[in-house]
Amino acid sequence: MAQLEATGARLEVSSPVLSGGPEDEVLWTDVMAAAPDRAAPVDPATFRVNGTYAPAVGDFDGDGFADVYWYGAWGRSDGGWAGTEQPGVFDETAMASSEQAGTFLPVAGDFDGDGDDDIYWYQPGGDPLVAETCCNHEPLARRDSLWSADGDGTFSPTNLSRIATSIPVVGDFDADGADDILWYGPGDAPDEMWVGGSWGGAGPPRVELSIRGDYRPVAGDFDGDGGDDVLWYSPGEPSDTLWMFGDDFTYSWSRPVLKGEAYQPFAGDFDGDGADEVFLYGPGSAGDRIITELRGTGTFDLVTLTVTGRYTPLVADYDGNGRDDVLWYR
């Protein structure tokens, strides 16, 4: 498993998995540890995912260990990995019995606040023609739907459509224990919040927002108050904006200045202190950074590190130790 070790003010990557081949996945545990315990090197094949997937990450069975739903799209088979208390060890799960077809962006979160993460299957732009609506349909097409987790790794589906093209940002922004979805429309496109809770009947309650601008948003509880916030990262010279949420989706804002064209930011509580850090990942050879403390005033502390390669980072606490890990998938 890959880990980071500190040398002065710089973090260096040390990973036996990185030498296993260009297609290997890489797992980082104890991301922020200055001198982490070193486990025995794992077989690189343990982290090799054969195929192309749109993965969704969450604790779908509520056991305290994060899981990965490997969504294959259209008619390709799906798969499931369940995290265990042993870092770097996953069990195959029954999630694969809940096969999804169509072509979706899976959005994971505990939308009903029951302790098990759910999956909202979203197709930007609205539903395609499906079998029940027209004779000229795509056989594998599906409607947008909410899969509510049953607590054992399986799901109960309900049709729930969103007729818009937006970027979903998941977080518990009102700190009520249920995740919300902030639907961000780049530029002048409309924005809104789906409020977590019971989404039966008329669907989720909605709160209108006005964001305006082109950003790469990242959600996390940056101040450790139990409610998630949003960093609106704008590549290049334009100003970035930090929203620190309070009650009823009100927020205060500030303008941290991160600078950088290539970052694809993501958040996680990598040191287990209850407040999320921001990982500024630059795919390829671009320099990478971790914001270790992001304050409501817009000031921050950071360390630098190097991630070589282009990955999709899957962030969650797979081993249940209270610190988020990063599974680098490609």
Side-chain angles (χ1 to χ4, degrees):
M1 65 199 68
Q3 295 178 320
L4 300 177
E5 60 182 1
T7 304
R10 184 175 177 79
L11 294 173
E12 302 289 342
V13 175
S14 175
S15 171
V17 179
L18 284 174
S19 61
E23 299 305 319
D24 288 336
E25 278 62 45
V26 180
L27 179 69
W28 284 8
T29 63
D30 294 335
V31 172
M32 296 299 296
D37 294 334
R38 292 197 174 276
V42 297
D43 178 359
T46 303
F47 297 96
R48 187 171 295 135
V49 180
N50 295 317
T52 300
Y53 298 91
V57 174
D59 184 5
F60 301 118
D61 55 8
D63 65 353
F65 305 105
D67 315 302
V68 184
Y69 187 107
W70 298 103
Y71 166 55
W74 289 114
R76 298 197 300 274
S77 296
D78 302 340
W81 285 7
T84 69
E85 63 183 351
Q86 183 176 351
V89 176
F90 295 87
D91 293 331
E92 292 190 15
T93 82
M95 285 188 295
S97 66
S98 302
E99 289 280 343
Q100 177 64 289
T103 174
F104 292 95
L105 171 65
V107 182
D110 184 8
F111 302 121
D112 54 9
D114 66 353
D116 308 320
D117 283 322
D118 315 299
I119 303 177
Y120 179 63
W121 297 95
Y122 169 57
Q123 298 168 102
D127 290 338
L129 296 177
V130 296
E132 308 96 279
T133 58
C134 178
C135 56
N136 189 23
H137 64 273
E138 163 57 52
L140 294 176
R142 299 290 186 272
R143 286 193 174 99
D144 292 355
S145 62
L146 173 67
W147 281 14
S148 297
D150 297 326
D152 58 0
T154 61
F155 304 88
S156 297
T158 303
N159 288 336
L160 177 62
S161 295
R162 174 173 172 76
I163 312 301
T165 299
S166 307
I167 296 173
V169 184
V170 175
D172 183 7
F173 301 113
D174 58 355
D176 66 349
D179 284 332
D180 316 295
I181 304 179
L182 191 163
W183 294 102
Y184 161 56
D188 294 329
D191 317 291
E192 67 175 1
M193 184 86 73
W194 279 11
V195 181
S198 175
W199 286 1
R206 292 164 167 81
V207 175
E208 291 187 4
L209 300 170
S210 180
I211 298 166
R212 297 189 180 277
D214 293 300
Y215 299 97
R216 296 176 185 174
V218 56
D221 183 6
F222 303 128
D223 55 4
D225 67 351
D228 285 317
D229 314 296
V230 181
L231 172 63
W232 300 98
Y233 164 64
S234 184
E237 292 301 322
S239 297
D240 312 298
T241 302
L242 175 64
W243 285 10
M244 305 295 278
F245 276 95
D247 296 335
D248 298 323
F249 303 105
T250 60
Y251 58 87
S252 59
W253 64 273
S254 59
R255 293 196 180 278
V257 180
L258 303 181
K259 300 283 188 183
E261 294 283 352
Y263 295 135
Q264 295 181 4
F266 58 89
D269 184 6
F270 303 118
D271 57 8
D273 67 350
D276 287 334
E277 291 78 48
V278 179
F279 199 124
L280 298 173
Y281 167 52
S285 59
D288 310 291
R289 294 170 171 79
I290 295 178
I291 297 178
T292 57
E293 186 172 358
L294 180 57
R295 307 175 187 89
T297 58
T299 61
F300 53 87
D301 301 325
L302 57 78
V303 294
T304 61
L305 68 156
T306 300
V307 181
T308 301
R310 294 182 178 273
Y311 298 90
T312 297
L314 308 179
V315 182
D317 184 5
Y318 299 108
D319 54 11
N321 67 354
R323 297 187 300 270
D324 283 328
D325 315 301
V326 184
L327 177 61
W328 298 95
Y329 164 62
R330 66 178 172 186

